[in-house]
Amino acid sequence: MRILAISGSLRAFSSNTALLQAAAELAPQGVEVVLYDGLGGLPHFNPDLDGEPVAPAVSGWRSKLRDAAGVVFSVPEYAHGVPGVLKNSLDWVVGSGELVDKPVTLFNASPRGTYAQASLTETLTVMSAKVVPEASVTLQLLGKPVAAGQIVADPGMAAVVRSALEIFAGAIETIKTAR
Ligand SMILES: Cc1cc2nc3c(=O)[nH]c(=O)nc-3n(C[C@H](O)[C@H](O)[C@H](O)COP(=O)(O)O)c2cc1C
């Protein structure tokens, strides 16, 4: 199954992106974690532009979400909220509905970002995504420069990430069967 991974940070040395890159390397058998790298290329959401034809970047974003069995988000907290670029991407799929009934979970590279986690959970819930809290993990990366390989090579962190992906994959199967 394919899981789409979305980092809410555009920073080159983002700890959230590193966490998701590590998840791609640690994915259990039968699970493929694919990072979405188009967040920064989406236009600003404007309801006037949300009709056919939409911008190619938007249709690409929507089809990647449609094709994914589930979505993992890892987002930093900015001023007690989610980064605008991440919220902008979600606004583009409120009307088109790609996240409706989609299994989603939240990874977190910093235990400090509680407002952003709560806010993102609320937004995903109101968009009718199926939030899977038991697959959510928090690592103590705290925005420090870290390479995905360091997470993969750390037995403790690697086990946490792998286990979260196994739990998420199991939840995706359960949600699919219940439909
Ligand atoms: C503009 C800005 C605002 C921030 N606001 C908060 C905040 O309100 N609460 C918090 O815990 N951290 C805040 N931070 C710190 C980041 O959330 C933290 O460094 C995060 O781990 C960076 O993620 P990244 O490494 O993926 O870019 C802020 C950082 C920036 C650049």
Side-chain angles (χ1 to χ4, degrees), residues 7-11 13-17 74-81 109-110 112-115 141-144:
S7 170
S9 175
L10 300 182
R11 210 160 65 87
F13 295 104
S14 159
S15 53
N16 287 282
T17 304
S74 190
V75 306
E77 177 168 300
Y78 287 170
H80 285 188
S110 164
R112 294 188 190 140
T114 54
Y115 291 98
L141 302 175
L142 301 172
K144 290 187 209 126

Side-chain angles (χ1 to χ4, degrees), residues 10 33-34 60 98 151:
L10 300 182
V33 175
V34 180
E98 283 76 12
I151 300 171

Side-chain angles (χ1 to χ4, degrees), residues 119-141:
S119 172
L120 181 54
T121 301
E122 174 62 22
T123 300
L124 292 168
T125 302
V126 85
M127 290 172 73
S128 302
K130 299 263 188 226
V131 183
V132 180
E134 57 274 23
S136 184
V137 290
T138 298
L139 296 189
Q140 300 259 4
L141 302 175

